[in-house]
Amino acid sequence: MPATVIVGAQWGDEGKGKITDILAERASAVIRYQGGSNAGHTVVVNGNEFKLHLIPSGILHPDTTCIMAAGTIIDPICLRDEIEGLRERGVSCDNLRVSVNAHVIMPYHILLDGLQEEARGRSSIGTTRRGIGPTYTDKTARMPRSIRMADLMDDDVLRALIADQLEHKNIIIERCYGHEPLDPDAVFAEIAPALPVVRPFVADVRSMVREALANDETVLLEGAQGTFLDLDYGTYPYVTSSHPVAGGACLGTAIGPTEIDAVIAVVKAYTTRVGAGSFPTELEDEVGNGLRERGSEYGTTTGRPRRCGWLDGVALRTAAELNGATAIAVTKLDVLDGLDTVRIAVAYDINGKRHERMPEDLDALADAQPVYEELPGWQQSICEARTLADLPEQARAYIDRMEELAGCAVWGVSVGPSRDQTVLL
Ligand code: GDP
Ligand code: IMO
Ligand code: MG
């Protein structure tokens, strides 16, 4: 039962897409277990860049089944666009399956996401405005029951459910937010063109996952977002509405914890964050700007500039524990090329007290002052490195320190966006 979780160890955009694509070559299935089109996972093969929002990052391997499990939420219009975009580029998507039980992001969820963000004013979260919070809210509220992929199979069922939903939603849309009510027929008409494209992919995926595990095939569980965007363990309320942590993979995919035998935590060699919320090692200076430019740190989904800072070893240590990481995959080490020195936060000072792990009391995080360790940088480009021996000694020392902080082995080091720009250990 070799099920492996691939999880972001920071605030998202760690390079999960690239790592998943590499591992997918030997996997029989890649499964997205949570989140929706808020994700933006990039895979680069032979100079061709693919940006995936919903579809698992194994899709470029035609023999690997790609599954969107019940824990994900699906925007049918976005899924249609992604499937068609891939087909235009010669990727058939015949290996894609979407769970009948995944809940559906509807146009009114996207509207509500925007209205809620406006209403939050100065404390807005900076969501991706893809309808994530409102869709997961409807799923858990069950009032009225939210729409699932199975409900998209029949026009009449879908029309009736949209009318039910809007009876309630329109009260909120009109009375709370002063927005015009939505017309059920118009909402149906908006998503109707996507239905013929999406319907053939809807399937009972649980039995497919069971069969793969029973046959001892390698199954990858691809996380979206990152550990500190987790609804329970992230920097609440500046988080997403799902469970990116490795535990979320069991829930989202319906497999037991004993069936997971490896957890690879993907960690960027520095830190980035999009949207609001605490970020102790953030650099609002030339060094931070340099990381953003060299690392092309602009959101895959929203195009927003990502906030940048030094590696946060406190976050890394905490993430390794929260996810039960068995290994880390280090990404974007090449972005640190050319710096005289590099810094890693090894602890926080919070009101005079040293913390080696993220405090559980998240309000304290706002006062966290990073305690830095300074390491020598390296001057040469490492993007051609393919073995550990190709890396300069200073870069190897940096990786060793990351390994110590995480408390588990390094699986590999990524030195560029391409599939082949990887040092496998
Ligand atoms: P994800 O959401 O975790 O899959 O990460 P994103 O795709 O949003 O962001 C990672 C970005 O960094 C993408 O543009 C990747 O192509 C790129 N990338 C991944 N690994 C490396 C690397 O080792 N070096 C460099 N320079 N870029 C990388
Ligand atoms: P990948 O999978 C980085 C952030 C948003 C916002 C917060 C809540 O590419 O790593 P949401 O739309 O989910 O309600 O927004 O979470 N966020 C991400 N940041 N990478 C992501 O995905 C993200 N998905 C959501 O910026 O701060
Ligand atoms: Mg991303």
Side-chain angles (χ1 to χ4, degrees), residues 243-295:
H243 294 290
V245 294
C250 292
L251 281 175
T253 329
I255 67 174
T258 50
E259 294 181 296
I260 291 172
D261 60 2
V263 176
I264 299 182
V266 184
V267 53
K268 212 180 270 194
Y270 50 98
T271 313
T272 61
R273 177 165 200 176
V274 221
S278 300
F279 181 175
T281 62
E282 183 169 15
L283 295 168
E284 289 174 288
D285 60 10
E286 279 318 300
V287 182
N289 293 341
L291 291 173
R292 184 175 310 108
E293 293 318 311
R294 283 197 306 281

Side-chain angles (χ1 to χ4, degrees), residues 13-18 40-42 300 306 332 334 414-417:
D13 303 325
E14 295 90 350
K16 299 174 294 291
K18 172 178 168 168
H41 297 176
T42 315
T300 310
R306 295 174 182 151
K332 303 190 94 162
D334 55 295
S414 172
V415 294

Side-chain angles (χ1 to χ4, degrees), residues 333-409:
L333 189 64
D334 55 295
V335 175
L336 300 181
D337 289 356
L339 294 170
D340 290 335
T341 54
V342 281
R343 290 177 146 201
I344 300 179
V346 292
Y348 298 152
D349 181 314
I350 302 178
N351 302 321
K353 191 164 173 250
R354 186 181 166 97
H355 290 251
E356 301 214 328
R357 289 177 175 67
M358 282 262 197
E360 267 199 271
D361 170 10
L362 291 165
D363 294 338
L365 202 57
D367 299 319
Q369 295 300 323
V371 178
Y372 284 115
E373 207 171 84
E374 199 158 69
L375 283 78
W378 52 95
Q379 302 315 310
Q380 64 269 53
S381 163
I382 60 168
C383 63
E384 299 296 329
R386 296 295 177 269
T387 67
L388 210 49
D390 297 337
L391 290 172
E393 172 191 350
Q394 299 90 329
R396 289 203 303 266
Y398 192 79
I399 298 166
D400 287 347
R401 191 68 184 109
M402 289 183 77
E403 189 168 67
E404 272 169 26
L405 288 162
C408 57

Side-chain angles (χ1 to χ4, degrees), residues 140-355:
T140 48
R142 302 152 297 158
M143 182 57 208
R145 81 161 182 81
S146 135
I147 298 174
R148 291 164 307 148
M149 290 306 286
D151 303 320
L152 299 189
M153 303 312 274
D154 183 310
D155 283 3
D156 293 336
V157 169
L158 181 58
R159 277 180 191 280
L161 284 167
I162 291 174
D164 267 4
Q165 289 288 328
L166 284 183
E167 222 175 278
H168 291 251
K169 290 282 169 317
N170 274 336
I171 297 172
I172 298 167
I173 289 171
E174 264 190 293
R175 298 207 197 144
C176 293
Y177 299 111
H179 191 279
E180 271 172 54
L182 299 184
D183 170 43
D185 290 335
V187 169
F188 178 80
E190 196 176 338
I191 73 158
L195 299 175
V197 179
V198 164
R199 279 176 179 153
F201 297 97
V202 180
D204 172 359
V205 302
R206 210 164 69 199
S207 55
M208 299 169 75
V209 177
R210 284 261 59 90
E211 198 178 309
L213 290 172
N215 292 338
D216 233 11
E217 294 166 8
T218 299
V219 169
L220 299 179
L221 308 169
E222 179 187 13
Q225 290 78 55
T227 301
F228 298 106
L229 290 173
D230 186 276
L231 183 59
D232 280 331
Y233 300 105
T235 46
Y236 187 86
Y238 301 99
V239 294
T240 192
S241 299
S242 68
H243 294 290
V245 294
C250 292
L251 281 175
T253 329
I255 67 174
T258 50
E259 294 181 296
I260 291 172
D261 60 2
V263 176
I264 299 182
V266 184
V267 53
K268 212 180 270 194
Y270 50 98
T271 313
T272 61
R273 177 165 200 176
V274 221
S278 300
F279 181 175
T281 62
E282 183 169 15
L283 295 168
E284 289 174 288
D285 60 10
E286 279 318 300
V287 182
N289 293 341
L291 291 173
R292 184 175 310 108
E293 293 318 311
R294 283 197 306 281
S296 309
E297 295 295 356
Y298 294 88
T300 310
T301 300
T302 58
R304 289 177 288 177
R306 295 174 182 151
R307 301 157 67 193
C308 296
W310 294 119
L311 179 69
D312 186 337
V314 180
L316 175 55
R317 196 185 273 128
T318 310
E321 291 173 357
L322 283 171
N323 292 298
T326 55
I328 57 170
V330 177
T331 61
K332 303 190 94 162
L333 189 64
D334 55 295
V335 175
L336 300 181
D337 289 356
L339 294 170
D340 290 335
T341 54
V342 281
R343 290 177 146 201
I344 300 179
V346 292
Y348 298 152
D349 181 314
I350 302 178
N351 302 321
K353 191 164 173 250
R354 186 181 166 97
H355 290 251

